[in-house]
Amino acid sequence: MTTLDELQGALRRAGVDALWISDPSNVRAITGFTSGKDGKVLVTPDGATLYTDARYTVQAAGESSVPQFIARPPDTYLHAAPALKGLRVGFEADHLTVVLLDDLRDHWPDSTLVPVRGLVQGFRLRKDERELDAIREAQRIADAAFTQVRPLIRPGVTELEIALELELAMRRAGAQSAFEIIVASGPNGAKPHGVASSRVIGHNELVTVDMGAQVNGYHSDMTRTVAVGDPSAELRRLYRAVLEAEEAAVAAVGPGVRAADLDHLARDLLTGHGLGVYFAHSLGHGVGLDVHEGPGLRGTSEDVLEPGMVITIEPGVYIPEVGGVRIEDLVLVTETGHEVLSQSEKEVL
């Protein structure tokens, strides 16, 4: 969890005196309050306050590591106003709506509101042992669910049925699904974020399953592409190319490695197979309180990997009217290299 002293130091370096935190994951990271979507945090040079409403009085008192003020707007803004008089107040530009920004301006006329980005997220890049324990457990549950459900992926079963079985397996193990599970069979595999549909899985197809679990607010994320029957030689070629790119990128993960270089490595390998044009997204992303967070593993990223970061490596190939392949591992950056957290078997075609 981010310490208040660290965050106040970051505010000074960013040229602001205070910060109004509205991103739910950042609210949780600062306070421990698990209903961050119904909370806000004000950080000032003198301390911090969690603002939430009366539905969460008992919960906030039990969870929050900072003092609480229980009220709804406009009382929330009126309570904060005296402490902010004459200060430069940062707000999370990538989360606060225009309407809510107007509300802040109306109630804090004696403050200067300054858009900021990534102040809290920067402290969330490296996970501590408590966070890693939750992510490991989330991935363990996801692996177990996939292993349990894999035999059910066969001709005559719908994508939705597979997604439901995966979610039920994770629920029974004490976790929630981290996101809407993707089960994309046959030509649906050409949709990188295609949701599970009523399509019936056919013979000799590839099926892509993208899934994750959530434990104590922390997520896992993993993708496997599996064969049903005997896919064509071309589908097998696509699979082998993606697997080669994925394994090469995973092997290159370590502290000090530029995220952009990993993307280039995988993309160049797929280009060598004539498939680079079909790799339609970045190589991966960080995982934690959000399924998608920093660092970003795209070709233009300036991020450099550090120990404690948890990232995905997920190259893919998506060909319209043919299908697609994506293989994704969840990887922890360690002091000496990396540790692959996702243990579900990868098929060899």
Side-chain angles (χ1 to χ4, degrees):
M1 186 178 297
T2 305
T3 69
L4 187 57
D5 287 343
E6 289 174 330
L7 185 54
Q8 288 169 328
L11 299 189
R12 290 191 293 271
R13 292 190 294 274
V16 295
D17 306 301
L19 178 63
W20 181 250
I21 299 173
S22 55
D23 182 292
S25 295
N26 289 342
V27 170
R28 181 166 184 165
I30 296 299
T31 68
F33 181 52
T34 60
S35 296
K37 64 183 179 61
D38 291 313
K40 305 290 185 291
V41 179
L42 177 63
V43 179
T44 69
D46 298 323
T49 302
L50 168 65
Y51 292 94
T52 189
D53 63 71
R55 295 173 297 169
Y56 301 101
T57 302
V58 174
Q59 178 183 336
E63 293 180 342
S64 176
S65 58
V66 303
Q68 307 96 51
F69 184 80
I70 306 299
R72 290 180 179 270
D75 292 343
T76 298
Y77 307 137
L78 294 173
H79 176 270
L84 300 178
K85 189 173 182 179
L87 300 186
R88 290 172 56 83
V89 182
F91 64 89
E92 295 182 309
D94 52 355
H95 188 269
L96 194 69
T97 66
V98 174
V99 170
L100 292 179
L101 178 58
D102 286 342
D103 286 345
L104 296 186
R105 286 173 171 152
D106 289 342
H107 289 92
W108 299 342
D110 298 321
S111 304
T112 302
L113 294 172
V114 181
V116 298
R117 294 185 181 183
L119 279 182
V120 180
Q121 287 91 332
F123 291 102
R124 291 169 44 196
L125 292 173
R126 298 178 64 165
K127 276 60 178 179
D128 60 28
E129 286 304 317
R130 176 189 62 84
E131 294 174 302
L132 290 176
D133 285 345
I135 294 172
R136 289 180 189 277
E137 179 64 6
Q139 184 56 54
R140 185 195 67 78
I141 289 173
D143 279 326
F146 180 81
T147 299
Q148 177 183 332
V149 175
R150 171 64 185 94
L152 302 179
I153 304 176
R154 59 180 184 266
V157 179
T158 68
E159 296 172 349
L160 280 169
E161 287 173 318
I162 299 302
L164 178 60
E165 291 296 332
L166 289 167
E167 183 164 359
L168 285 174
M170 289 188 288
R171 286 279 188 175
R172 291 189 181 108
Q176 301 178 41
S177 182
F179 47 86
E180 187 172 9
I181 296 169
I182 295 172
V183 180
S185 62
N188 282 350
K191 306 171 185 176
H193 277 185
V195 298
S197 73
S198 59
R199 184 183 188 275
V200 176
I201 297 171
H203 292 273
N204 305 326
E205 293 184 340
L206 295 180
V207 181
T208 296
V209 177
D210 190 346
M211 60 179 292
Q214 182 192 127
V215 172
N216 295 331
Y218 288 85
H219 301 81
S220 67
D221 191 3
M222 174 189 73
T223 305
R224 293 292 185 262
T225 297
V226 301
V228 176
D230 185 20
S232 67
E234 177 62 8
L235 290 176
R236 290 172 178 270
R237 184 181 78 87
L238 303 184
Y239 182 91
R240 289 194 296 268
V242 172
L243 181 60
E244 178 188 349
E246 199 266 349
E247 291 182 337
V250 168
V253 171
V257 174
R258 295 178 65 249
D261 290 343
L262 291 175
D263 182 278
H264 295 321
L265 170 63
R267 203 169 299 275
D268 289 347
L269 282 170
L270 288 174
T271 299
H273 288 283
L275 299 171
V277 67
Y278 300 114
F279 183 12
H281 52 74
S282 63
L283 179 65
H285 53 84
V287 178
L289 284 172
D290 290 319
V291 178
H292 291 84
E293 58 181 45
L297 276 71
R298 55 188 178 277
T300 57
S301 175
E302 297 181 357
D303 294 330
V304 177
L305 300 187
E306 300 177 30
M309 289 181 172
V310 178
I311 62 173
T312 66
I313 300 292
E314 50 179 305
V317 166
Y318 314 94
I319 303 179
E321 300 181 6
V322 174
V325 177
R326 180 166 67 255
I327 303 171
E328 174 186 23
D329 276 316
L330 189 66
V331 183
L332 167 65
V333 183
T334 67
E335 295 286 348
T336 58
H338 66 271
E339 176 188 348
V340 179
L341 303 182
S342 44
Q343 296 298 307
S344 292
E345 183 179 357
K346 300 172 191 173
E347 299 197 4
V348 179
L349 301 184

